[in-house]
Structures are given as structure tokens and as C-alpha cells.
Amino acid sequence: MDQRRKPILPGEINMDQSRRGLLSKISRRELMAYGGTAALAVSAGFDPLRAAGKTRFVFANESDYDTVDPHAAFDVGRVAVRLNIYDGLLRWEDNPAKLEPWVAESHTISPDGLTYTFKLRRGVKFHDGSEVKAQDVVYSLDRILAVGKGAASLFKTMIDPGAAKAVDDYTVTFTLTKPSAIFLAIVPEIHIVNTTLIKKNESGGDWGQAWLSKNSAGSGAYKLAQFDPAIGFVGERFPDHFKGWGPKFIDEIEFRGVKDTNTRVLGLLRGDFQGIGGYLQTDQLDRIKKSGNAQILEAESMRVMMAQFNVTRAPLNDVHVRRAINYAFDYDGFDNDILGGLVQRNPTPLPNTIWGVPKDVKGYSFDIAKAKAELAQASAKIDKPLELAFLTGFQQSEQAAQLLQNGLKKAGIESKVVGYPWPTIVEKFKDANTTPDVSIYWISTYYADPHNWVGEMFSSATAGTFKNASHYKNSKVDELLDKALRSTNQAERAKLYEEVTRIVVDDAAGLWIYNTKWYGPYAAKLKGIAFCPIGSAQEMRTAFYDNEG
Amino acid sequence: MRLVALVLKRLAWLAPTLAGLVAIVFFISRVIPADPVALVAGETASRAQIELLRQKLGLDQPLIVQLAQYYKQLLSGDLGTSLFTTRPVWEDLSARLPATIELTVAAMLVSVVLGIPLGVVSALYRNRFIDHLLRVVTVAGLAVASFWLALLLQLLFAMDLRWLPLQARITGFPPPATTGFYVIDALIEGNFTRLGNVLAHLTLPALTLAFPALATVVRFTRAGVLETLQRSFVTYQRAMGIPAGLIVWKYVLRNSLVSTVTQIGLLFGILLAGAVVIETVFQWPGIGSYAFEAILQSDYPGVMGFTLYAGVVFGVVNLIVDVSHAVLDPREAAA
């Protein structure tokens, strides 16, 4: 045997190596390992929480936590603050989402659908030890309306300031300006704040906005321990939370804003993070799955990707042109080839998983012959390229626009693909003249009620908003939606929303592509994560490590 | 005395320069067809609700009135309140400034401390292997996209070798800061474990940010040294028998640095722009990511605050460059 290639057995001395210097005895791999150990010792530093035997969870979120005021935001990006630091009267839980009693133990609705009465649990404590009372609920709603941010605009459509009254310490009533079946659905957004604490920190009648943007006044399962708008926030477990705790839990939660997707994924694989947000590409999900130290939880969510048509001007004011566009999009190619089957085809504006979806509606399919046939019936002339708008920075939106452009070309329709940042396109939507012909984006779950989609997307009252960028107006639809809002009977409402959905699909008022499937990348040892479409699984009260440490 | 006059003259120009900058950015930011009020009001806000909020924020006033109001605010030291965070812009900026300054200074130190000697070496060994190697590296430094380099460094040093942290300024959530400059804070407290941790976190972002700047410093130093080496005083000094090292590192280098120093001033601009990308990739909680977010959301006060910061930095850096020129070449101060 060639001596140079002779293997060195464990414990055997290689005379060649013994003649060289000390460093030469160490293989390159060993050298890297030693270097790594030394560097890690420095870079890891000292972790007092681990030393105290406590558990910690770090979540890398795709957007920043620029404020921790629960009434300043109504988005998924900052939902962790609202769900972990604060409580509401009711809360959306599970998937499909169910409205559960939370700080309120029960509620009643007056026969005319105008007055809602909530009975509060006794003994629910704020983080400073004081009790949550009806007066705090009243103040919280008044604050939302006065500050005018987050969910305020939705509340203002049905309730005026001063319409909430504390009957006694544990009973609160809300009197609506008109019956609204979605009131209950948005009650979870009344995050209850500690009135006394905020009043102490008000400045110039600002309802404590400056103070609450970086401090907390809640009763949630975690209390705010640290907040840095440039980094995120840390919550410490609140042992006295009214829901109690199971035998296992996480002592400290940290939510950080980490914008770069790659850094989030690498951080999860490395163990810097135990959970990451954002909708990931197929290759990244595969990479996480194969890593062994992370898991991917899956659930069907409620976030519909769609194309909104500007129906106010030619050629999209012609139903045949709209139908032609619907037939020109390669749904299977997009959902299965481009997105690797990570989504579910969703043929209507309502997510497949919510009530009120007409099961008999199959929607449109990719069929260029049918597209051409519809175009032949169209009276509107397509004398200039259609503007297909996508959201800058959202790759899927751009890919869908390009795929649609390709399909339209086959059908004989010229188009141009244009990207707009979110603030720009919102501004354009306000005026039908500046709204693009076709705009591709998503409608997420702000509240789990069909009104969140078909209600706000096709009501003439919302024309020009982000949800109704098509400026769709149809008196029959308005009438049905109004009926649905006035009724508190879900079965009756479901029928009304089914009818609306049939009308708008037949009218090709938009193009509906898929319902998002949620993929939650978490550390392998993490258990108890409960997904709900409204909270995107960021409520940490039930989470724990299977093998602590 | 001439130096003091130069400084005063430059400072006198800084105020109108900044006022002009504010006016330009003010109008540009408002010409962009975006409506931050609609965003603040929420996606479900009606037109009437948006207009009400616009009035409340004073954004319904004519632009010239808004600009005058902003100047008035600035004179009283108020940068305004962010539309999105609802905190004073100065408070938001000051929370992030130390992170960016620490990163930028570290990157500048790396590029200057390494770049100048390497530039001299490259010139002295002109057209030899070491020169070719350095030229390849410097061309790469200018050509390589910083996000790509950042990713490579992360994969190698944080993921494969696990020698350095992947992201952030410190392990875990940062402790309450004294100055906000973590290196200085750790030194003040005499906490060397934390100092090591902070330096380890600083290494990859600073190297990534320094790479293009380093390339520029090397190239300009090389060109300056090569030019100076041709001058007659060098021949004279050689003839006088002055040691080669002394000629190069004292006389040649000083005469070669004028253009390099100018470039170093301009490099601050590159570093500031680069910091936006680097801060995003390394999750560095600095002003770059704040500016990015403010621009994206059309947060006017935030954008203006960042612009003023950039303007002041440029102004101060240019002042330092001018003073350095005067020190390196006293004829400039006299001019």
C-alpha cells in the first residue's frame, strides 16, 4: 500500500505529522472547528435567561414593529403586539376561525340588532395588577375612534364616539348607528387598555399616543419588557393572565423585524430564531424541511390573490372583455408550476374556507378559445394596451401580471405590465380615472366574515378604496349586501353572500386566483402553535418547547 | 488663522445648502403620487375619513405654507412627528443614528487603514504579481453587488464555519445603552465579553460595507503614489541617500493623498447608500432601514429627517476634507 495514503487509526501516531509543527497536526476542518468555538464563545456572549433555566422564543417578522400601540395598527405585520400584550372582549381562534369569548364571558344582541351587551369576567387583571373593568372597554373604543387609526375607519361605519356605556363595572353596551352584522367580527379589535395608566401619561390631549407607542397598558398573556422600534419587542410571561397557563410555556417572547427573507431563513436554520414570518418560496421551504432542526406547519388560510378590474371605463366596462381576461389566465400554470402547488385554486372572491361560498360556482378556467369567443361578442374596442399593475417588491404579483400578459397576447389583447409601490397604487385607486385597468394583489383576513371580501369589494360605498379598486357599483349587489349586514342570522346571511358571489363571478367583476396556504417555519422542538387566519399563529400563549432548552 | 477662516466660510455655506436641500426634497417627496394619509387612516378608511385626517395633520395646506411651517419647526429644533410611529422624528433618528455611525465608521476605518497601505504597495510593485492581485480585488470590490457579497460572507462565516454571527448588533435584545454606540458602551462598562460580542457582530457588516470603499481608496492611493514617484523631488531625495521607506511613507504618501482624501469624503455617500442594503441584510437597526421604510410609506417627516441627517453628514465630511486638504497642502488654505 502506498504509505502516503495509509489511513491513520485513532490513537496511532503519524510520524510524518509528529515532525511538523503543532498547527500542522491539526486538520483544516479541526482548525475551523477550534476557530469557530473560540469565535462562538465571543459572539454568543452570556445568556442570563438560559442560565436561569427559562425558555425563550424569538420570531423574525417580515415587517418592523414601529409602534406597540394596539389601536394604531390593524395589520397582520404587527398582530403579535395585539395578541400577546393585549386582550379583547372576544377573540378569533382556530382554523376555520371561530369567535370565542375572551374578557367577555357572554354577550347578547337586542332584537333590532342595534344594542350589544357584554358581560365581563371578574378578576381579569392588567399587568399592573388593577382589574379590567367595563369603563376600560368604553375608554378603549373611544380612544380608537378619537385616534382614528387602525380599525377606526371600520368602527366609524357603524358606531359613534360615546356610544359605548359602562352599565356597571362588569357590563358594557354598544349602541350602533345602524344594524351591522360584522360588528361582532371586529369586536376583537377593541384591545382593552388600562385607562388609569394612559390618562396618567397623556400629553396635550393625545390620548396617550406618544406614550403608548413605546409602552404598554394591557392585560395580555405577555407583558412588554423591552421595546426598541429599530429592533422589535420583548414580552415576559404574565403569570396572572386570566386564561391561566398549561404545564409548559415560554417565559419570554421576542418579536423582531427582519426584512430580508434570506436572513430570516438562515437565522431559523442557525437557531437565532425559533419562528419566522413571511410567505416563502418553494425552494426555501424545501431547504427548511430538509434541515432537520426546523419544521414547517401547514394550514389553509384566508388570503385571496386576485386581479381587480377597473370597470368604470372601456374596455373593461364590457362584461365580455372581463370574461375574456378571466379565460386568458393560466391558473394551473401559476398555482402549480410557478408556485409549486403551495396554494389552492380559489375561483371566487371569497376564500374557499369561509361560509357563504357558493359551492356550485366553479369559476373560470384557462381557455384561449373561450377568451377569443368572448372578445368576439364585446362591443368595447381595445384600442390601446391594457395596464396590468403589480405591487413593487411582491414577486408573485409581478409573476401573475406577466403570466396574464402572456395569456392576453394569445387571445389577441395587448397589455403592458407596470409596477407600483403600495402607497402609490392606493393613491391611484381613489380616482377611477387613475386606477389601472387591472391590479393584482391580495385581500387578507381583517375579520373572518364574508363581508371582509365580497362585502367591501363590491359595495358601491367602498368604491375607490383598496378593497374596491374596481369601483364596482351594482344596485342589486348593494341591496343584497345591505340585507346581509342588517341580519344577525348566519344561515340567512350565508345565502345572501352566496347570491352576491354568483352575481359578481358571472359579471366577471374581477379575476380570482388562489387562496393562500399558510406555511409556518418553526424550530423543530416548538409545539403548541395554534394557527388562526387572523393572527397568523403569532399568539404565543399556548406554545412551548417539547424538550426545554 | 487661514484654517479657521476656511472652516467659518464653509460653515456659513452649510446653512443655505441645507435649506436648499430641504426645499428640493420637500417638493420631490410631495410630487410622488402616493398618499401616506390614506395608509395611516387604514385600508378600510373612507374618502371622508382620509380627508379629515389630512386636515388634522395639516397636509391639506398649500405646499408653500407647509414648507414655511417646516422651516419654522426646524428653526425651533423640531424635526416633526412621524406619521407612522407617531413619535418625534428626532427621537426615531437618534435611536438609530449610533448604529449607522458605528457601522459606517468601522467600514471607513477598515477601508482607510487597509486601503492606503495596500495602495502604496500596489504602486511600489507596479505590474508585478501583488499589483495584479490587488487590482483584481479592487475591480471586484467596485463590481460586486454588496447584497451578494453579504450573502456569501453570511453563508461562509455564519452558516458553514459558524465563526461569526449572522445578523443583529448584539446577541439577544440589547441592554439599556449609555451612548448607543455599543463598542463605546462596552468599553465604558469594562465589559469585555460584551465588547467581543459586539465586535463579532460588527465584523461582517463592516467588511461588506468597506469592500467597495476599500477598492476606491486602494486605486486612488496607487494612482497618486505612482504620479508622485515620477516627480523630481523624489529623484533628488534618492540622490541625497534618504532611506527608501522614509521617502515613500513620509514624503511621497503625503503628496499623493490629496485626491484620496477627496474620495474618502465622497465615499461617505457610498457608505450611506450602501448602509441601506447592508443594514437590511444584516438586520442592523440603523438609519438606512428607517429611511427605506419612510420612503416606502411616504412618511414625509421621516424622509425629511433622514435627508437632513445625510446633508449634515455630507457637509461635515466635506468640511473635514477641506481642512485635510489645507493641512496636506497649505497652498489650498491660502487660495
Side-chain angles (χ1 to χ4, degrees):
Chain A
M1 183 191 276
D2 185 344
Q3 190 63 26
R4 284 171 299 178
R5 292 187 182 174
K6 186 184 170 190
I8 308 296
L9 300 172
E12 188 178 337
I13 297 170
N14 180 337
M15 293 308 289
D16 287 342
Q17 281 190 359
S18 69
R19 283 194 290 270
R20 293 187 222 139
L22 179 67
L23 267 181
S24 309
K25 288 182 192 170
I26 303 169
S27 70
R28 201 169 59 185
R29 184 176 292 273
E30 285 168 331
L31 183 66
M32 286 176 176
Y34 293 145
T37 308
L40 268 182
V42 172
S43 64
F46 173 71
D47 185 351
L49 206 68
R50 184 178 284 264
K54 291 190 169 179
T55 48
R56 192 162 202 271
F57 169 82
V58 183
F59 186 88
N61 195 38
E62 66 271 31
S63 52
D64 285 339
Y65 297 94
D66 48 7
T67 175
V68 284
D69 185 336
H71 301 152
F74 184 35
D75 57 4
V76 178
R78 289 167 287 185
V79 74
V81 174
R82 308 196 293 277
L83 291 182
N84 292 299
I85 312 281
Y86 291 90
D87 289 315
L89 292 169
L90 307 172
R91 181 164 285 195
W92 286 106
E93 297 275 275
D94 296 335
N95 188 30
K98 288 191 276 294
L99 204 50
E100 300 284 352
W102 205 251
V103 170
E105 56 187 8
S106 65
H107 69 269
T108 54
I109 306 170
S110 65
D112 60 2
L114 285 174
T115 306
Y116 288 69
T117 305
F118 290 85
K119 289 278 181 195
L120 273 64
R121 290 173 200 269
R122 287 165 193 260
V124 178
K125 286 181 182 169
F126 283 117
H127 296 150
D128 67 356
S130 59
E131 193 177 10
V132 177
K133 293 191 173 164
Q135 291 80 356
D136 296 303
V137 179
V138 172
Y139 178 81
S140 300
L141 180 67
D142 286 346
R143 186 175 186 274
I144 291 170
L145 296 173
V147 167
K149 293 178 183 171
S153 50
L154 207 50
F155 281 110
K156 282 178 181 173
T157 61
M158 62 193 82
I159 195 161
D160 287 334
K165 303 274 183 217
V167 177
D168 58 47
D169 281 355
Y170 303 101
T171 310
V172 63
T173 61
F174 300 95
T175 307
L176 309 190
T177 49
K178 60 179 181 182
S180 178
I182 61 164
F183 178 68
L184 271 187
I186 60 172
V187 160
E189 286 305 316
I190 307 175
H191 299 284
I192 307 169
V193 292
N194 186 332
T195 314
T196 316
L197 196 54
I198 293 188
K199 283 190 171 168
K200 241 188 249 176
N201 292 285
E202 274 184 352
S203 167
D206 74 341
W207 292 80
Q209 280 191 76
W211 182 80
L212 203 59
S213 75
K214 53 187 177 184
N215 294 284
S216 75
S219 60
Y222 289 87
K223 56 181 174 181
L224 189 70
Q226 274 183 287
F227 171 59
D228 184 333
I231 300 171
F233 74 92
V234 175
E236 270 173 15
R237 189 174 74 91
F238 179 47
D240 294 336
H241 188 251
F242 76 93
K243 274 285 188 181
W245 294 88
K248 287 183 174 181
F249 42 76
I250 291 170
D251 294 288
E252 193 172 282
I253 55 170
E254 179 182 322
F255 282 79
R256 287 179 165 250
V258 179
K259 288 219 181 61
D260 189 70
T261 308
N262 198 57
T263 308
R264 287 201 300 275
V265 172
L266 292 180
L268 177 74
L269 298 180
R270 196 175 187 271
D272 290 7
F273 313 129
Q274 288 73 51
I276 61 173
Y279 291 91
L280 302 178
Q281 305 282 0
T282 324
D283 57 331
Q284 284 165 326
L285 288 171
D286 286 343
R287 190 176 175 187
I288 292 168
K289 278 179 192 166
K290 283 175 191 160
S291 73
N293 57 351
Q295 58 179 326
I296 303 279
L297 304 178
E298 294 182 25
E300 185 149 2
S301 186
M302 293 184 189
R303 176 176 174 262
V304 181
M305 188 186 209
M306 60 188 64
Q308 298 244 21
F309 296 159
N310 182 350
V311 300
T312 62
R313 62 168 185 254
L316 273 84
N317 58 358
D318 187 319
V319 66
H320 296 294
V321 175
R322 298 200 295 267
R323 284 180 188 154
I325 298 173
N326 266 284
Y327 284 124
F329 188 77
D330 185 356
Y331 303 93
D332 288 343
F334 188 70
D335 294 353
N336 299 322
D337 299 335
I338 294 177
L339 301 183
L342 294 178
V343 296
Q344 300 280 325
R345 169 85 179 103
N346 201 94
T348 78
L350 280 172
N352 296 332
T353 45
I354 203 163
W355 54 273
V357 177
K359 300 294 177 197
D360 54 315
V361 174
K362 301 296 172 206
Y364 297 87
S365 54
F366 181 47
D367 190 331
I368 295 298
K370 281 187 181 171
K372 286 180 176 171
E374 287 289 343
L375 280 179
Q377 296 179 61
S379 52
K381 282 190 178 174
I382 306 174
D383 49 9
K384 61 177 184 181
L386 296 182
E387 184 184 11
L388 311 182
F390 68 90
L391 293 186
T392 309
F394 291 81
Q395 195 185 9
Q396 280 188 26
S397 165
E398 187 173 0
Q399 287 169 328
Q402 287 166 343
L403 191 66
L404 179 58
Q405 184 182 38
N406 186 42
L408 291 175
K409 196 170 178 62
K410 285 178 186 166
I413 302 174
E414 288 303 318
S415 60
K416 57 179 181 181
V417 172
V418 186
Y420 294 107
W422 178 238
T424 309
I425 205 163
V426 168
E427 173 74 9
K428 283 181 166 287
F429 289 159
K430 285 196 285 188
D431 187 340
N433 293 318
T434 56
T435 301
D437 295 313
V438 177
S439 307
I440 301 174
Y441 53 95
W442 299 261
I443 302 278
S444 304
T445 317
Y446 295 85
Y447 50 94
D449 188 287
H451 198 81
N452 180 67
W453 291 274
V454 285
E456 293 193 50
M457 288 167 66
F458 302 107
S459 159
S460 57
T462 56
T465 63
F466 155 71
K467 285 195 178 171
N468 186 356
S470 56
H471 297 264
Y472 187 81
K473 289 178 185 172
N474 180 326
S475 54
K476 173 74 179 163
V477 167
D478 279 348
E479 189 189 320
L480 292 169
L481 290 176
D482 192 52
K483 259 191 200 170
L485 272 185
R486 287 177 183 279
S487 169
T488 49
N489 181 324
Q490 185 170 317
E492 186 189 349
R493 293 184 69 218
K495 280 185 184 165
L496 291 164
Y497 286 119
E498 283 177 21
E499 200 177 339
V500 170
T501 306
R502 281 193 193 93
I503 292 172
V504 295
V505 171
D506 182 58
D507 209 12
L511 182 157
W512 306 286
I513 303 170
Y514 71 72
N515 185 27
T516 307
K517 222 173 162 187
W518 172 79
Y519 293 90
Y522 289 96
K525 288 178 183 175
L526 194 74
K527 306 288 174 201
I529 291 289
F531 175 76
C532 173
I534 289 95
S536 270
Q538 291 188 30
E539 182 183 351
M540 300 308 300
R541 198 178 54 82
T542 53
F544 61 91
Y545 290 109
D546 198 21
N547 178 15
E548 288 184 6
Chain B
M1 204 57 205
R2 279 175 178 164
L3 206 60
V4 175
L6 176 80
V7 171
L8 290 175
K9 193 174 149 190
R10 291 287 188 269
L11 279 178
W13 272 108
L14 190 58
T17 306
L18 289 178
L21 178 72
V22 164
I24 292 168
V25 177
F26 184 90
F27 286 116
I28 289 177
S29 61
R30 276 148 176 88
V31 163
I32 296 169
D35 188 5
V37 183
L39 282 183
V40 173
E43 288 157 358
T44 49
S46 70
R47 196 73 179 262
Q49 288 165 347
I50 292 170
E51 293 314 317
L52 202 68
L53 186 60
R54 195 186 311 283
Q55 275 179 25
K56 203 171 149 188
L57 295 168
L59 293 172
D60 59 329
Q61 300 285 319
L63 282 186
I64 197 76
V65 175
Q66 290 183 44
L67 179 62
Q69 182 63 31
Y70 189 67
Y71 277 134
K72 200 174 149 192
Q73 269 182 20
L74 284 182
L75 287 175
S76 61
D78 179 9
L79 288 177
T81 302
S82 163
L83 297 178
F84 288 87
T85 69
T86 66
R87 283 183 298 273
V89 170
W90 172 246
E91 192 181 315
D92 281 345
L93 289 180
S94 55
R96 291 168 172 83
L97 269 175
T100 298
I101 293 173
E102 197 164 72
L103 176 61
T104 313
V105 169
M108 192 46 92
L109 276 178
V110 170
S111 36
V112 171
V113 170
L114 288 179
I116 291 177
L118 287 176
V120 174
V121 169
S122 187
L124 294 179
Y125 292 90
R126 187 184 184 189
N127 291 334
R128 291 167 69 179
F129 174 74
I130 186 86
D131 181 36
H132 292 310
L133 182 68
L134 281 169
R135 283 162 72 185
V136 168
V137 171
T138 53
V139 168
L142 294 172
V144 167
S146 54
F147 70 87
W148 186 74
L149 178 65
L151 184 60
L152 285 188
L153 291 176
Q154 279 181 324
L155 287 174
L156 180 63
F157 292 106
M159 300 305 291
D160 287 346
L161 299 176
R162 296 198 164 234
W163 284 5
L164 290 166
L166 176 77
Q167 47 85 41
R169 282 182 82 191
I170 193 167
T171 303
F173 214 81
T178 311
T179 65
F181 298 94
Y182 289 1
V183 173
I184 296 173
D185 284 353
L187 284 171
I188 290 172
E189 291 170 27
N191 188 338
F192 292 101
T193 309
R194 192 188 296 169
L195 179 66
N197 187 284
V198 169
L199 290 176
H201 280 83
L202 186 59
T203 306
L204 290 186
L207 283 179
T208 313
L209 191 58
F211 198 41
L214 172 79
T216 306
V217 173
V218 171
R219 288 165 71 87
F220 273 83
T221 308
R222 179 183 181 275
V225 170
L226 281 177
E227 193 188 329
T228 311
L229 284 173
Q230 307 301 319
R231 288 166 66 179
S232 52
F233 79 88
V234 178
T235 315
Y236 174 75
Q237 284 175 334
R238 277 183 178 162
M240 291 295 290
I242 297 175
L246 195 62
I247 296 174
V248 170
W249 295 106
K250 187 172 178 187
Y251 300 107
V252 172
L253 187 57
R254 180 168 176 169
N255 279 280
S256 312
L257 280 183
V258 174
S259 60
T260 307
V261 167
T262 308
Q263 282 304 315
I264 289 171
L266 295 174
L267 281 176
F268 255 94
I270 297 176
L271 292 183
L272 272 180
V276 176
V277 176
I278 304 302
E279 286 178 3
T280 304
V281 175
F282 288 101
Q283 197 43 40
W284 196 262
I287 202 166
S289 47
Y290 179 77
F292 177 74
E293 202 62 30
I295 293 167
L296 208 65
Q297 296 178 318
S298 291
D299 183 359
Y300 300 144
V303 173
M304 298 303 297
F306 171 76
T307 308
L308 265 178
Y309 155 74
V312 169
V313 168
F314 262 104
V316 171
V317 169
N318 277 322
L319 180 69
I320 295 170
V321 168
D322 288 345
V323 171
S324 307
H325 278 186
V327 170
L328 288 169
D329 185 355
R331 288 169 301 179
E332 284 208 16

